[in-house]
Amino acid sequence: MQTLLAILTAATGLADGPTAPTFWMPQGASTVAPDVDIVFDVINWICYFFFALIVVAMVAFVWKYRIREREHRFRMDGPTHHAALEATYIIVPLLLSGVIFFFGFRGYLDLATPPANSYDINVTAKKWQWAFTYPNGAVASGAVEGLVVPAGRPVRVVLRADDVLHSFFIPEFRVKRDCVPGRVGAIWFQCDYPTGMDPAKAYNLFCAEYCGTDHSKMLAKVYVLEQAEFDEWLAKQANWIEEIPDAELFTAAGPRLYAQCSQCHSLDGTAGQGPSWQGIFDRIRAGTGKFTNGQSYADLIGPGKVYETPEDYIRDSILNPGKYVVQTFGNVMPTFKGQMSERKIEAVTGMMKHLDQFDAKGKLKAAAK
Ligand code: CUA
């Protein structure tokens, strides 16, 4: 019934919202979702049918041909050949797999061929977050803004990976594609059902390839906006950091930017993938911290040294995190080159310096406002 409904809906284009979730599938919110679901449902029902047929036949034969008299154990005079039966079990699966191949391959070609009027968004996967770059230069982070796309037009995502294999997966859109280091891939989708900036309605982007410790945290919300609303968001996103007055730079922009640091850097001293920001400037001033190459903070930071100032060291750690890695931590931080402008780095550095004004989650304390 579900299948029949899906076929009718797809054929008549009557859908006025995402398809309802089923036992197997989340809601289907892209233009390809109904086609994907039909192929899935057909294969699924073929499996149910043959599972039942095989199990029933097996149990029946086990019963019918059970050993009743010992001397029959080595009976050798059974049938060796049955042409009609053999033809049946060759022709029926051949036809079925032919049909499945036809619809599967048609769907695959469809997904592999973006329409000419697609809107391009660059996606970079890195341990362990998503970064999005738009044609106007706006950047967004999966952990902060999420993936924001226009409704009612094809969107082509161009996929890159900075470090290891990741996989771009939006179950509600039925699209999934690996992000391979050193290669540029792409996949497209079109969603006609706007969600606004409402996290409860938004769709979900997952990383679907195990990529290390925090793979399970490599998530983002997918917001679908009406074209006009999208254009407005895009213009704002390109220069939100510029619009914040200098006096409020770290109090206003710091917490928003910290969201993309929070899974690795705590503010309360808790150990994470990277050093906690708590007391970070005290440690730098004391000069006692050590890097994995054996050098200490005092060896590298100070007038005439590699880094003139603590701020310079922080800046370079954001842009070139692998250059000097603090002892006992792994070289796991991705670079934020191209994503963190000088002003954003200034905001984050300001927040690090004034952590007493923020709570352990990075929210500005009421008294500091
Ligand atoms: Cu990235 Cu799993």
Side-chain angles (χ1 to χ4, degrees), residues 49-91:
F49 175 77
F50 282 103
F51 174 77
L53 186 72
I54 290 166
V55 170
V56 167
M58 187 178 71
V59 172
F61 289 156
V62 163
W63 177 255
K64 185 170 177 193
Y65 297 109
R66 70 192 187 279
I67 294 175
R68 270 165 288 194
E69 295 159 57
R70 290 283 119 186
E71 65 271 23
H72 284 171
R73 185 182 289 176
F74 300 113
R75 205 177 138 167
M76 300 295 280
D77 57 347
T80 59
H81 192 74
H82 192 297
L85 181 67
E86 282 175 23
T88 310
Y89 70 58
I90 290 171
I91 293 168

Coordinates of all heavy atoms in Angstrom, one line a residue, residues 49-91:
F49 N 9.2 -11.8 0.3 CA 8.6 -12.9 -0.4 C 9.5 -14.1 -0.4 O 9.0 -15.2 -0.1 CB 8.2 -12.4 -1.8 CG 7.6 -13.5 -2.7 CD1 6.3 -13.9 -2.5 CD2 8.4 -14.1 -3.6 CE1 5.8 -14.9 -3.3 CE2 7.9 -15.1 -4.4 CZ 6.5 -15.5 -4.2
F50 N 10.7 -13.9 -0.9 CA 11.6 -15.1 -1.0 C 12.0 -15.6 0.3 O 12.2 -16.8 0.5 CB 12.8 -14.8 -1.9 CG 12.4 -14.8 -3.4 CD1 12.2 -13.6 -4.1 CD2 12.2 -16.0 -4.0 CE1 11.8 -13.6 -5.4 CE2 11.8 -16.0 -5.3 CZ 11.6 -14.8 -6.0
F51 N 12.1 -14.8 1.3 CA 12.5 -15.3 2.7 C 11.4 -16.2 3.1 O 11.6 -17.3 3.6 CB 12.6 -14.1 3.6 CG 12.8 -14.5 5.1 CD1 14.0 -15.0 5.5 CD2 11.7 -14.5 6.0 CE1 14.2 -15.4 6.8 CE2 11.9 -14.9 7.3 CZ 13.2 -15.3 7.7
A52 N 10.1 -15.8 3.0 CA 9.0 -16.6 3.4 C 9.0 -17.9 2.6 O 8.9 -19.0 3.1 CB 7.7 -15.8 3.2
L53 N 9.1 -17.8 1.3 CA 9.0 -18.9 0.4 C 10.1 -20.0 0.7 O 9.8 -21.2 0.9 CB 9.2 -18.5 -1.1 CG 9.0 -19.5 -2.2 CD1 7.6 -19.9 -2.3 CD2 9.5 -19.0 -3.5
I54 N 11.3 -19.5 0.9 CA 12.5 -20.4 1.2 C 12.3 -21.1 2.5 O 12.5 -22.3 2.7 CB 13.8 -19.6 1.1 CG1 14.1 -19.3 -0.4 CG2 15.0 -20.4 1.6 CD1 15.1 -18.2 -0.6
V55 N 11.9 -20.3 3.5 CA 11.8 -20.9 4.9 C 10.7 -21.9 4.9 O 10.9 -23.0 5.5 CB 11.6 -19.8 6.0 CG1 11.3 -20.4 7.3 CG2 12.9 -18.9 6.1
V56 N 9.6 -21.6 4.3 CA 8.4 -22.5 4.3 C 8.8 -23.8 3.6 O 8.6 -24.9 4.1 CB 7.2 -21.9 3.7 CG1 6.1 -22.9 3.4 CG2 6.6 -20.8 4.6
A57 N 9.4 -23.6 2.4 CA 9.9 -24.8 1.6 C 10.9 -25.6 2.4 O 10.8 -26.9 2.5 CB 10.4 -24.4 0.3
M58 N 11.8 -24.9 3.1 CA 12.9 -25.6 3.8 C 12.3 -26.5 4.9 O 12.6 -27.7 5.1 CB 13.9 -24.6 4.4 CG 15.1 -25.2 5.0 SD 16.2 -23.9 5.6 CE 15.3 -23.3 7.0
V59 N 11.4 -25.8 5.7 CA 10.8 -26.5 6.9 C 9.9 -27.7 6.4 O 10.0 -28.8 6.9 CB 9.9 -25.6 7.7 CG1 9.1 -26.3 8.8 CG2 10.8 -24.5 8.3
A60 N 9.2 -27.5 5.3 CA 8.4 -28.5 4.7 C 9.2 -29.7 4.2 O 8.9 -30.9 4.5 CB 7.5 -28.0 3.5
F61 N 10.3 -29.4 3.6 CA 11.2 -30.5 3.1 C 11.9 -31.2 4.2 O 12.1 -32.5 4.2 CB 12.2 -30.0 2.1 CG 11.6 -29.6 0.8 CD1 12.2 -28.6 -0.1 CD2 10.4 -30.1 0.3 CE1 11.7 -28.2 -1.3 CE2 9.8 -29.7 -0.9 CZ 10.4 -28.8 -1.7
V62 N 12.3 -30.5 5.2 CA 13.0 -31.1 6.4 C 12.0 -32.1 7.0 O 12.4 -33.2 7.4 CB 13.4 -30.1 7.4 CG1 13.7 -30.7 8.7 CG2 14.6 -29.3 6.9
W63 N 10.8 -31.7 7.0 CA 9.7 -32.6 7.6 C 9.5 -33.8 6.7 O 9.5 -35.0 7.1 CB 8.5 -31.8 7.9 CG 7.4 -32.7 8.4 CD1 6.3 -33.2 7.8 CD2 7.3 -33.3 9.7 NE1 5.5 -34.0 8.6 CE2 6.2 -34.1 9.8 CE3 8.2 -33.2 10.9 CZ2 5.8 -34.8 11.0 CZ3 7.8 -33.9 12.0 CH2 6.6 -34.7 12.1
K64 N 9.3 -33.5 5.4 CA 8.9 -34.5 4.5 C 10.0 -35.6 4.3 O 9.7 -36.8 4.2 CB 8.5 -33.9 3.1 CG 7.9 -34.9 2.1 CD 7.4 -34.2 0.9 CE 6.9 -35.3 0.0 NZ 6.6 -34.8 -1.4
Y65 N 11.2 -35.1 4.2 CA 12.3 -36.1 3.9 C 13.1 -36.4 5.1 O 14.3 -36.8 4.9 CB 13.2 -35.5 2.7 CG 12.4 -35.2 1.5 CD1 12.1 -34.0 1.1 CD2 11.9 -36.3 0.7 CE1 11.3 -33.8 -0.1 CE2 11.2 -36.1 -0.4 CZ 10.9 -34.8 -0.8 OH 10.1 -34.6 -1.9
R66 N 12.6 -36.3 6.3 CA 13.4 -36.7 7.4 C 13.6 -38.2 7.4 O 12.9 -38.9 6.7 CB 12.6 -36.3 8.7 CG 11.3 -37.1 8.9 CD 10.5 -36.5 10.0 NE 9.4 -37.4 10.4 CZ 8.2 -37.5 9.7 NH1 8.1 -36.7 8.6 NH2 7.3 -38.3 10.1
I67 N 14.7 -38.7 8.0 CA 15.1 -40.1 8.0 C 14.1 -40.9 8.8 O 14.0 -40.6 10.0 CB 16.5 -40.3 8.5 CG1 17.5 -39.6 7.5 CG2 16.8 -41.8 8.6 CD1 18.9 -39.7 7.9
R68 N 13.5 -41.9 8.2 CA 12.6 -42.7 9.0 C 13.1 -44.1 9.2 O 13.0 -44.7 10.2 CB 11.2 -42.7 8.4 CG 10.3 -41.6 8.9 CD 9.1 -41.4 8.1 NE 9.5 -40.8 6.8 CZ 8.6 -40.2 6.0 NH1 7.3 -40.2 6.2 NH2 9.0 -39.7 4.8
E69 N 13.9 -44.5 8.1 CA 14.5 -45.9 8.2 C 16.0 -45.7 8.0 O 16.4 -45.1 7.0 CB 13.8 -46.8 7.2 CG 12.4 -47.1 7.5 CD 11.6 -47.5 6.2 OE1 12.1 -48.6 5.7 OE2 10.7 -46.9 5.8
R70 N 16.8 -46.3 8.8 CA 18.2 -46.1 8.8 C 18.8 -46.4 7.4 O 19.7 -45.8 7.0 CB 18.9 -46.9 9.9 CG 18.7 -46.5 11.3 CD 19.5 -45.3 11.6 NE 18.7 -44.1 12.0 CZ 19.1 -42.9 12.2 NH1 20.4 -42.6 12.1 NH2 18.3 -41.9 12.4
E71 N 18.3 -47.5 6.7 CA 19.0 -47.9 5.5 C 18.8 -46.9 4.4 O 19.5 -47.0 3.4 CB 18.4 -49.3 5.1 CG 17.0 -49.4 4.7 CD 16.1 -49.6 5.9 OE1 16.5 -49.4 7.1 OE2 15.0 -50.1 5.7
H72 N 17.9 -45.9 4.6 CA 17.8 -44.9 3.5 C 18.8 -43.8 3.6 O 18.8 -42.9 2.8 CB 16.4 -44.3 3.6 CG 15.3 -45.3 3.1 ND1 14.0 -45.0 3.3 CD2 15.4 -46.5 2.5 CE1 13.3 -46.0 2.7 NE2 14.2 -46.9 2.3
R73 N 19.7 -43.9 4.6 CA 20.6 -42.8 4.7 C 21.4 -42.5 3.5 O 21.7 -41.4 3.1 CB 21.5 -43.0 5.9 CG 22.4 -41.8 6.2 CD 23.3 -42.1 7.4 NE 22.6 -42.1 8.7 CZ 23.2 -42.4 9.8 NH1 24.5 -42.6 9.8 NH2 22.5 -42.4 10.9
F74 N 21.9 -43.6 2.8 CA 22.8 -43.4 1.7 C 22.1 -43.6 0.4 O 22.7 -44.0 -0.6 CB 24.0 -44.3 1.8 CG 24.8 -44.0 3.1 CD1 24.9 -44.9 4.1 CD2 25.4 -42.8 3.3 CE1 25.5 -44.6 5.3 CE2 26.1 -42.5 4.4 CZ 26.2 -43.4 5.5
R75 N 20.9 -43.3 0.4 CA 20.1 -43.5 -0.9 C 20.7 -42.6 -2.0 O 20.9 -41.4 -1.8 CB 18.7 -43.0 -0.6 CG 17.6 -43.6 -1.4 CD 16.3 -43.1 -1.0 NE 15.5 -42.8 -2.2 CZ 14.2 -42.6 -2.1 NH1 13.6 -42.6 -1.0 NH2 13.6 -42.3 -3.3
M76 N 21.0 -43.2 -3.1 CA 21.6 -42.5 -4.2 C 20.8 -42.4 -5.4 O 21.2 -41.9 -6.5 CB 22.9 -43.3 -4.6 CG 23.9 -43.4 -3.5 SD 24.6 -41.8 -3.0 CE 25.8 -41.5 -4.3
D77 N 19.5 -42.7 -5.4 CA 18.7 -42.8 -6.6 C 17.8 -41.5 -6.7 O 16.8 -41.6 -7.4 CB 17.9 -44.0 -6.7 CG 17.0 -44.2 -5.5 OD1 17.2 -43.5 -4.5 OD2 16.1 -45.0 -5.5
G78 N 18.2 -40.4 -6.1 CA 17.3 -39.2 -6.2 C 17.5 -38.6 -7.6 O 18.3 -39.0 -8.4
P79 N 16.6 -37.6 -7.9 CA 16.7 -36.9 -9.2 C 18.0 -36.1 -9.3 O 18.5 -35.6 -8.3 CB 15.5 -36.0 -9.2 CG 15.1 -35.8 -7.8 CD 15.6 -37.0 -7.0
T80 N 18.6 -36.1 -10.5 CA 19.9 -35.3 -10.7 C 19.6 -34.1 -11.6 O 20.4 -33.2 -11.6 CB 20.9 -36.2 -11.4 OG1 20.4 -36.6 -12.7 CG2 21.3 -37.4 -10.6
H81 N 18.5 -34.0 -12.2 CA 18.3 -32.9 -13.2 C 16.8 -32.6 -13.3 O 16.0 -33.6 -13.3 CB 18.8 -33.4 -14.5 CG 19.0 -32.3 -15.5 ND1 19.9 -31.3 -15.4 CD2 18.2 -32.0 -16.6 CE1 19.8 -30.4 -16.4 NE2 18.7 -30.8 -17.1
H82 N 16.4 -31.3 -13.4 CA 15.0 -31.0 -13.7 C 15.0 -29.7 -14.5 O 15.2 -28.6 -14.0 CB 14.3 -30.8 -12.3 CG 12.8 -30.7 -12.5 ND1 12.2 -29.7 -13.2 CD2 11.8 -31.5 -12.1 CE1 10.9 -29.9 -13.2 NE2 10.6 -31.0 -12.5
A83 N 14.9 -29.8 -15.8 CA 15.1 -28.7 -16.7 C 14.2 -27.5 -16.4 O 14.6 -26.4 -16.4 CB 15.0 -29.2 -18.2
A84 N 12.9 -27.8 -16.2 CA 12.0 -26.7 -16.0 C 12.3 -26.0 -14.7 O 12.3 -24.7 -14.7 CB 10.5 -27.3 -15.9
L85 N 12.7 -26.7 -13.6 CA 13.0 -26.1 -12.4 C 14.2 -25.2 -12.5 O 14.3 -24.0 -12.1 CB 13.3 -27.1 -11.3 CG 13.6 -26.6 -9.9 CD1 12.4 -25.9 -9.3 CD2 14.1 -27.7 -9.0
E86 N 15.3 -25.7 -13.2 CA 16.5 -25.0 -13.4 C 16.2 -23.7 -14.3 O 16.8 -22.6 -14.0 CB 17.6 -25.8 -14.1 CG 18.2 -26.8 -13.1 CD 19.2 -27.8 -13.7 OE1 19.7 -27.5 -14.8 OE2 19.4 -28.8 -13.0
A87 N 15.4 -23.8 -15.3 CA 15.1 -22.7 -16.1 C 14.4 -21.6 -15.3 O 14.7 -20.4 -15.4 CB 14.3 -23.1 -17.3
T88 N 13.5 -22.1 -14.4 CA 12.8 -21.1 -13.6 C 13.7 -20.3 -12.7 O 13.6 -19.1 -12.6 CB 11.7 -21.9 -12.7 OG1 11.0 -22.7 -13.6 CG2 10.8 -20.9 -12.0
Y89 N 14.6 -21.1 -12.0 CA 15.4 -20.3 -11.0 C 16.6 -19.6 -11.7 O 17.4 -18.9 -11.1 CB 15.8 -21.2 -9.8 CG 16.8 -22.3 -10.0 CD1 18.1 -22.1 -10.5 CD2 16.5 -23.6 -9.5 CE1 19.0 -23.1 -10.5 CE2 17.4 -24.6 -9.6 CZ 18.6 -24.4 -10.1 OH 19.5 -25.4 -10.2
I90 N 16.7 -19.7 -13.0 CA 17.6 -18.8 -13.7 C 16.8 -17.6 -14.3 O 17.2 -16.4 -14.1 CB 18.3 -19.5 -14.9 CG1 19.3 -20.5 -14.3 CG2 19.0 -18.5 -15.8 CD1 19.9 -21.5 -15.3
I91 N 15.7 -17.8 -14.9 CA 15.0 -16.7 -15.6 C 14.3 -15.8 -14.6 O 14.5 -14.5 -14.8 CB 13.9 -17.3 -16.5 CG1 14.7 -18.1 -17.7 CG2 13.0 -16.2 -17.1 CD1 13.8 -18.9 -18.5

